[in-house]
Amino acid sequence: MSAVAANRPGGAVASAPENPLTAGLERLPVAPTTLVIFGATGDLARRKLLPALYNLAHDGALPERFHLVGVARREKAHADYRAECEQAIRQFSRREPDPDVLAGLLEHVKYVPGRFDEQAVYGRLAKVLDGFDERAGEPLNRAFYLSTSPDFFGIIVGHLGGSGLSRRSGAQVRVIIEKPFGTTLEEARELNRRVLSVFDEEQVFRIDHYLGKETVQNMMAFRFANGMFEPLWNRNYIDSVQITAAEDIGIGTRAGYYDKAGALRDLIQNHMLQLLCHVAMEPPVKFTAEEVRNEKVKVLDAIAVPTPEEVPRMAVRAQYARGHSGGEDVPGYTEEEGVPEDSRTETFAALRLEVDNWRWAGVPFYVRTGKRLARKITEIAVTLKPVPHLAFSQDGSLGVRPNQLILTVQPNEGVSLQLGAKIPGTRMVIRPVNMEFLYGTAFLSQSPEAYERLITDAMRGDAMLFTRNDEVEAQWRICDPILQAWAATDEPLARYGAGSHGPAEADALLREGDRWRAV
């Protein structure tokens, strides 16, 4: 019975009408599940997935019957893999592990060795999964997490289908696929075809860990739960939107992957276009996975596919050179270990996009990402149009600037609203001030890792924070022509010094009067 329901004569019950915007937000329980991690000894599993599972267990968010199976190439005993899991959790968990919770989680961990393209591996895996079901006395849900090189995604999915593991009578089977989902539009289409020939779309969870971050989720809350923003959230009041994902580190040991990917594939094609969708989407009829993702696809479809002639005017790429970062001299990109001396891979990419619909026509969306920049930050800056008439004297002031709403995704998640205010004194002097909301101080708790939310949602079957097949292809339709145009030119790449704010060439994307926010 609803909290507002009351007993009536004759047994009639009255309840509050359903709010369409909150319908679908009810959290489904997590059913008993066996999670299988392919690539279980890799860096992602050690640093993110295993610590996330421990923290979920600590918070009581895992189902009462939960089992974990690791699949990787190296031969090792179950006990050896459990010891590796414990070491990874102790090293990378966001909280000090509780011995009892850790022991309870590791008790039901098993390991299956073998190559992902070896059919026998899937037979051994099926025996382990069936054993868990027999002990439970019922079929358990199964979730297959593909934490491997993208080259194996199609291979693993094909073997899961061929082994009969993609379906389970009386239980749900889901597959979680990491990024990148293809490296071109054609590859993404082919991978979608292979995946959907084995699994139904409802079973597929294409993960983008940015969508699990609290600020990204809170973007919808700020937009749709606060009446003050909706009247302003359009071309009449918003002047521009700037989305930045800056890193102060280089490529580390990722040269093998990064030199084939580059900044556009690595971040813009997935994470940053998803952030743009959250800023620009229309309110969904209901907050269900399908309705939210429908609105995001509409945003992507409203971004014109660039022609080869347009690419130089709307996209800039660059590569970092030697410089000073983190208090020390650092090498340029082509001097990094494992990078070819003649590499033309971009470590910085910036785009100017327009969402050509009624709400956003004429508003530029500036998107940029780069390695070895001055600091690490991911943020969305929404700049409102300036006041139409400035009556205040500028003498001695820091200038009246347009209001900005800044949503910081990392490192310090929060929201800041920049306003103009008078400096105390006898004169009318204006300066910008910030009204800030930070998660750490507002809620006096540490935000959970993105993977904690995403893993539970996938096991629950809630796909709201995962990308659908048509979303992935729509994102590639925007980025693929840019990559093709860059590959077809022999013009030298722009350069920027490590530890700087990026290449000067990126300024050419800005309208007159616009400027990049400092990073």
Side-chain angles (χ1 to χ4, degrees):
M1 182 183 296
S2 166
V4 296
N7 290 325
R8 298 287 197 275
V13 176
S15 62
E18 180 182 275
N19 182 342
L21 283 181
T22 58
L25 289 178
E26 300 83 3
R27 308 300 290 156
L28 299 172
V30 183
T33 300
T34 299
L35 176 66
V36 179
I37 300 179
F38 288 90
T41 58
D43 202 48
L44 176 63
R46 291 179 63 252
R47 290 177 174 270
K48 297 295 183 181
L49 304 185
L50 292 171
L53 290 172
Y54 167 77
N55 285 301
L56 290 171
H58 183 279
D59 294 339
L62 289 179
E64 184 177 350
R65 288 196 295 277
F66 174 81
H67 306 87
L68 175 64
V69 181
V71 182
R73 181 172 52 85
R74 299 182 185 90
E75 288 284 343
K76 64 185 67 183
H78 299 307
D80 293 335
Y81 180 61
R82 292 188 191 109
E84 290 183 11
C85 292
E86 179 176 352
Q87 181 184 25
I89 290 167
R90 290 190 181 280
Q91 184 176 359
F92 297 112
S93 172
R94 63 183 172 88
R95 55 161 63 99
E96 185 68 26
D98 179 282
D100 293 336
V101 175
L102 187 56
L105 175 65
L106 297 178
E107 180 183 356
H108 302 293
V109 171
K110 290 191 176 293
Y111 181 79
V112 176
R115 291 169 35 177
F116 304 136
D117 58 354
E118 180 186 350
Q119 182 63 37
V121 171
Y122 300 86
R124 295 196 293 270
L125 174 60
K127 289 182 180 179
V128 172
L129 298 177
D130 290 342
F132 285 140
D133 290 357
E134 289 172 8
R135 283 192 289 276
E138 63 177 331
L140 305 178
N141 285 358
R142 295 171 180 177
F144 299 102
Y145 198 120
L146 275 54
S147 175
T148 69
S149 164
D151 297 337
F152 291 113
F153 291 168
I155 293 171
I156 294 171
V157 166
H159 280 295
L160 290 174
S163 303
L165 292 172
S166 60
R167 295 288 188 276
R168 179 68 171 150
S169 178
Q172 297 293 324
V173 179
R174 302 179 176 106
V175 61
I176 307 166
I177 304 177
E178 269 289 345
K179 80 169 190 78
F181 199 88
T183 62
T184 64
L185 174 59
E186 189 55 40
E187 282 188 19
R189 285 173 171 163
E190 174 60 19
L191 183 53
N192 266 332
R193 185 193 66 76
R194 295 180 70 176
V195 170
L196 297 178
S197 69
V198 174
F199 293 95
D200 297 331
E201 177 62 34
E202 292 73 18
Q203 296 177 274
V204 182
F205 294 76
R206 300 169 189 83
I207 203 163
D208 183 334
H209 74 268
Y210 265 47
L211 300 187
K213 292 182 178 292
E214 288 293 338
T215 305
V216 178
Q217 298 171 55
N218 220 1
M219 206 178 305
M220 287 193 287
F222 270 94
R223 284 196 56 195
F224 305 134
N226 295 286
M228 69 178 74
F229 292 125
E230 177 55 29
L232 308 178
W233 213 258
N234 56 62
R235 69 188 187 282
N236 296 322
Y237 296 95
I238 291 179
D239 190 61
S240 66
V241 177
Q242 196 172 129
I243 305 175
T244 300
E247 295 184 273
D248 56 359
I249 59 173
I251 59 168
T253 59
R254 300 175 67 217
Y257 160 74
Y258 195 88
D259 198 59
K260 295 177 182 177
L264 188 68
R265 286 187 176 99
D266 189 45
L267 275 178
I268 291 181
Q269 184 274 331
N270 38 73
H271 300 328
M272 302 188 74
L273 286 181
Q274 283 292 318
L275 296 181
L276 187 154
C277 287
H278 278 73
V279 173
M281 64 184 281
E282 294 295 323
V285 175
K286 293 183 179 181
F287 275 105
T288 62
E290 288 309 295
E291 293 293 345
V292 169
R293 296 192 293 182
N294 286 344
E295 297 302 332
K296 289 197 290 180
V297 169
K298 290 178 185 177
V299 172
L300 294 169
D301 287 343
I303 299 175
V305 175
T307 65
E309 295 74 26
E310 292 170 335
V311 169
R313 298 192 297 271
M314 54 78 64
V316 167
R317 60 175 174 161
Q319 198 179 82
Y320 67 80
R322 290 184 182 184
H324 195 74
S325 177
E328 59 182 21
D329 293 328
V330 295
Y333 176 72
T334 54
E335 299 167 317
E336 299 275 17
E337 184 177 353
V339 176
E341 293 182 2
D342 59 349
S343 174
R344 292 176 56 81
T345 298
E346 79 282 358
T347 62
F348 176 97
L351 309 180
R352 186 187 68 243
L353 302 173
E354 291 195 7
V355 179
D356 192 14
N357 61 18
W358 184 269
R359 183 183 291 268
W360 296 109
V363 177
F365 285 75
Y366 301 118
V367 180
R368 62 174 171 165
T369 183
K371 298 279 191 184
R372 284 286 188 215
L373 294 173
R375 64 176 174 139
K376 175 184 178 68
I377 189 167
T378 300
E379 68 172 22
I380 301 164
V382 179
T383 302
L384 274 67
K385 290 187 175 180
V387 292
H389 173 66
L390 190 59
F392 301 113
S393 169
Q394 295 291 297
D395 295 339
S397 74
L398 297 180
V400 177
R401 301 173 186 172
N403 302 125
Q404 282 191 320
L405 179 67
I406 313 297
L407 299 104
T408 305
V409 178
Q410 61 182 11
N412 299 314
E413 293 183 281
V415 181
S416 171
L417 180 61
Q418 188 179 92
L419 307 171
K422 176 186 175 295
I423 298 175
T426 58
R427 302 170 58 212
M428 180 60 74
V429 180
I430 309 297
R431 62 160 290 177
V433 297
N434 289 330
M435 298 177 63
E436 291 189 330
F437 150 66
L438 299 175
Y439 281 89
T441 55
F443 298 116
L444 300 178
S445 64
Q446 186 181 19
S447 295
E449 288 285 339
Y451 281 99
E452 296 173 30
R453 169 69 188 270
L454 295 173
I455 289 172
T456 51
D457 277 6
M459 291 193 298
R460 185 180 284 119
D462 184 349
M464 185 182 297
L465 300 179
F466 297 83
T467 51
R468 203 168 57 193
N469 61 331
D470 52 347
E471 275 185 86
V472 173
E473 294 184 14
Q475 290 170 180
W476 274 117
R477 278 198 298 273
I478 297 166
C479 293
D480 215 31
I482 301 171
L483 291 166
Q484 292 177 15
W486 285 349
T489 180
D490 56 2
E491 291 184 6
L493 268 68
R495 293 288 193 274
Y496 62 99
S500 70
H501 298 291
E505 287 81 356
D507 293 346
L509 301 181
L510 302 174
R511 294 177 313 185
E512 184 177 356
D514 289 348
R515 61 181 180 178
W516 293 110
R517 282 176 53 82
V519 295

